[in-house]
Amino acid sequence: MFGSGSGAAHQSSRLSVPVLIPTRFVWPYGGRSVFVSGSFTRWLEQIPMAPVEGCPTVFQVVWNLTPGYHQYKFFVDGQWRHDEHQPFVNANGGVVNTIFLAGEDVVPTSFSPETSGGSNMDLDIVPRQVEAVPRFSQADLDISRHRISMFLSRHTAYELLPESGKVIALDNSLPVKQAFHILHEQGLPMAPLWDFEKGQFVGVLSAMDFILILRELGNHGSNLTEEELETHTVAAWKEGKINLNRQLDDNGRYCAPRLVSAGPYDSLKEVAMKILQNKVATVPIVHSTSQDGSFPQLLHLASLCGILKCKYFSNIALRHFRHSSSSLPILLHPISEFRLGTWVPNIGQSNGQPLAMLRPNSSLADAFSLLIQADVSSIPIVDGNDSLLDIYSRSDITALARDKAYTQIRLDELSIHQALLLGQSENPPYSFNGQRCQMCLQSDSLHKVMERLANPGVRRLVIVEAGSKRVEGIISLSDVFRFLLG
């Protein structure tokens, strides 16, 4: 079928004991039963591979190999497969992956006929030039971006509206405390604000507001007290926040930031660009039958997740791709090839922003400072080896509203681990299949990453090393859309 390769590559005659190098083999494409076999087993033994904890579609095994050149292939659900994202060669009986492990006096030029196995699986004795998967071309990128842009331009926000459901808006005259209790009880990360006097939607109350309020409470010089939260309205808080972050208009006058919203007939591309350009999580879809915009109706809260899950976009970008990969060629390539997401230095292409990580014994005050200063929505929580333990997100903040937990804690004394325990008695409202940390590998294709991000409640994926779960980066929905829309 394939060809018999060397079970042991060239060894130096000076070595009486063969040098063995632990080598990790990874199959990141799923399956029920996965094995690996190769020249190092003389193609006679199939080595079982086990799924990685937290990544059920990723299989791995560590096997001791001698230095030199080896060929291998995966046996997945009864079929021989090779990994297109790893070096491979065309052998007599098919395509096999290759690996070269450096060692003393070892050169990857040929196998010795005397050491080749006697298996009936014929293998090229002299390996050919390795045919690595080419990096993406600018043409592939342009084609994919153009097709996605055209599709999003042809469809409207109206198509995001569910057949049934509810949209919750908050009266901005509500006390801050009551407003956040509502967010927590409804499992919402944010809600639009309605001003009865003006008869319009005037803003959004989000988890970031709660973070700023809790920091204000923890500030000894603050004018805001716990008692005042009982009467301090959302409108008053927003007004105070505006005074701290005032902006000048074109005439040099101070102006309040406007609510970022969209209409039902705005294109999906326009909605996505509003989210990206204004760095917001959602955009309210508001409609008014009056020419002056009075009596507006709140129809929906549009998000990048909703656009990705839109049945039209999902059918074109994800399902149709399975049958016609040439339609969006860029989705074939691994995410490590792109300047996509935020990476640990020297692992991937960074977007210039350092990856923020914290230890579980870090204080909640440290987490709040990082969320605000680094302007990120989540922070991987890692151990001393930078292996992923958990993730702390802005959406976790509202758990502190439960049972008035925020009145009983000090931010600089409560650890992140303790803060996460406060919400463990409830089902995490923003998790998929009960897992808080959704992960991927840097070898995963963009298509696979988008499929995972399309799952309910998944807003980001932590990029980890197979096996150790060492954090290598993080990729969010915003990163993907910013890349696809150029």
Side-chain angles (χ1 to χ4, degrees):
M1 174 182 165
F2 303 118
S4 77
S6 169
H10 283 305
Q11 296 292 319
S12 170
S13 59
R14 296 189 298 272
L15 295 177
S16 58
V17 178
V19 177
L20 297 178
I21 303 174
T23 305
R24 177 179 287 110
F25 292 91
V26 178
W27 175 259
Y29 310 112
R32 293 183 298 276
S33 63
V34 182
F35 302 83
V36 65
S37 186
S39 57
F40 41 87
T41 68
R42 297 179 180 270
W43 297 101
L44 296 175
E45 179 184 357
Q46 294 178 6
I47 304 167
M49 304 177 70
V52 175
E53 180 184 356
C55 292
T57 61
V58 179
F59 291 76
Q60 69 158 358
V61 69
V62 176
W63 200 255
N64 291 328
L65 301 186
T66 55
Y69 179 90
H70 301 275
Q71 298 182 342
Y72 63 97
K73 201 158 187 174
F74 300 95
F75 193 64
V76 183
D77 296 338
Q79 294 185 343
W80 288 102
R81 306 272 299 275
H82 73 282
D83 188 344
E84 295 181 349
H85 295 121
Q86 300 299 325
F88 59 83
V89 296
N90 289 314
N92 288 337
V95 181
V96 296
N97 288 115
T98 62
I99 186 172
F100 175 69
L101 302 176
E104 187 178 0
D105 297 335
V106 178
V107 291
T109 54
S110 67
F111 278 137
S112 167
E114 291 78 16
T115 61
S116 62
S119 168
N120 59 1
M121 304 172 75
D122 296 329
L123 187 72
D124 290 344
I125 291 178
V126 179
R128 300 176 185 174
Q129 181 68 30
V130 173
E131 301 177 26
V133 174
R135 286 181 58 84
F136 71 92
S137 67
Q138 187 62 41
D140 284 347
L141 180 58
D142 292 341
I143 290 172
S144 300
R145 281 178 169 172
H146 174 73
R147 288 178 175 166
I148 289 176
S149 177
M150 290 298 294
F151 171 81
L152 293 176
S153 298
R154 288 196 300 264
H155 294 270
T156 66
Y158 186 81
E159 297 169 33
L160 297 176
L161 273 61
E163 294 181 0
S164 62
K166 63 179 181 180
V167 183
I168 295 178
L170 299 176
D171 183 347
N172 71 344
S173 64
L174 281 173
V176 169
K177 173 185 171 182
Q178 186 179 349
F180 281 111
H181 275 285
I182 293 174
L183 288 184
H184 172 68
E185 291 169 358
Q186 297 295 325
L188 299 173
M190 55 76 64
L193 296 173
W194 173 259
D195 189 319
F196 271 101
E197 292 184 1
K198 297 179 179 179
Q200 61 185 21
F201 294 98
V202 293
V204 167
L205 187 69
S206 68
M208 180 55 75
D209 288 301
F210 199 22
I211 292 174
L212 294 173
I213 287 174
L214 291 179
R215 285 192 68 184
E216 185 75 5
L217 284 173
N219 184 355
H220 296 296
S222 170
N223 294 320
L224 184 63
T225 65
E226 294 173 13
E227 292 76 16
E228 286 179 326
L229 285 182
E230 301 281 352
T231 56
H232 201 71
T233 66
V234 173
W237 159 253
K238 286 290 187 179
E239 183 66 28
K241 183 180 175 184
I242 289 172
N243 290 333
L244 292 175
N245 301 281
R246 291 188 297 177
Q247 297 177 348
L248 294 175
D249 61 15
D250 295 336
N251 297 320
R253 294 173 298 185
Y254 286 113
C255 62
R258 293 183 178 180
L259 172 67
V260 179
S261 63
Y265 301 108
D266 289 348
S267 72
L268 292 181
K269 182 178 179 181
E270 290 175 314
V271 175
M273 292 306 297
K274 284 186 176 183
I275 292 174
L276 295 175
Q277 292 170 355
N278 292 281
K279 296 182 179 181
V280 293
T282 58
V283 167
I285 305 300
V286 180
H287 178 61
S288 176
T289 56
S290 304
Q291 292 183 351
D292 59 359
S294 58
F295 306 105
Q297 293 180 316
L298 177 63
L299 303 179
H300 186 61
L301 298 179
S303 65
L304 296 179
C305 182
I307 295 175
L308 186 59
K309 290 191 298 182
C310 170
K311 61 182 179 180
Y312 304 101
F313 184 55
S314 180
N315 283 334
I316 296 297
L318 299 180
R319 294 189 181 94
H320 176 67
F321 172 79
R322 295 193 186 104
H323 307 290
S324 179
S325 59
S326 61
S327 62
L328 295 170
I330 201 66
L331 301 192
L332 280 169
H333 294 264
I335 57 173
S336 58
E337 288 190 12
F338 313 126
R339 291 183 176 275
L340 186 58
T342 305
W343 295 75
V344 172
N346 301 324
I347 290 182
Q349 295 291 338
S350 174
N351 60 2
Q353 179 181 3
L355 181 63
M357 295 188 290
L358 288 174
R359 302 283 187 261
N361 59 352
S362 300
S363 71
L364 196 56
D366 292 335
F368 282 12
S369 296
L370 205 51
L371 288 170
I372 296 171
Q373 295 169 7
D375 192 24
V376 294
S377 61
S378 62
I379 305 170
I381 309 303
V382 298
D383 63 14
N385 296 317
D386 287 343
S387 295
L388 184 65
L389 298 174
D390 209 323
I391 193 165
Y392 195 79
S393 306
R394 289 182 187 175
S395 55
D396 291 311
I397 305 299
T398 55
L400 298 177
R402 179 167 156 261
D403 299 328
K404 299 182 181 180
Y406 60 86
T407 64
Q408 307 166 25
I409 63 173
R410 289 183 59 89
L411 299 182
D412 55 351
E413 294 178 356
L414 187 73
S415 71
I416 295 175
H417 175 67
Q418 292 170 324
L420 289 169
L421 288 177
L422 291 175
Q424 273 193 0
S425 59
E426 300 180 336
N427 293 325
Y430 312 111
S431 64
F432 174 64
N433 286 343
Q435 296 184 9
R436 285 177 47 83
C437 301
Q438 298 299 316
M439 295 170 278
C440 68
L441 303 176
Q442 60 172 296
S443 58
D444 285 343
S445 66
L446 180 55
H447 174 249
K448 187 173 184 178
V449 166
M450 290 175 66
E451 282 192 315
R452 290 186 180 176
L453 288 171
N455 288 320
V458 179
R459 292 173 172 81
R460 65 196 66 82
L461 298 175
V462 182
I463 307 165
V464 299
E465 179 186 60
S468 69
K469 292 203 292 186
R470 183 172 62 87
V471 174
E472 297 182 331
I474 192 166
I475 182 171
S476 67
L477 278 165
S478 297
D479 296 323
V480 171
F481 271 87
R482 193 173 288 109
F483 172 74
L484 292 177
L485 293 177

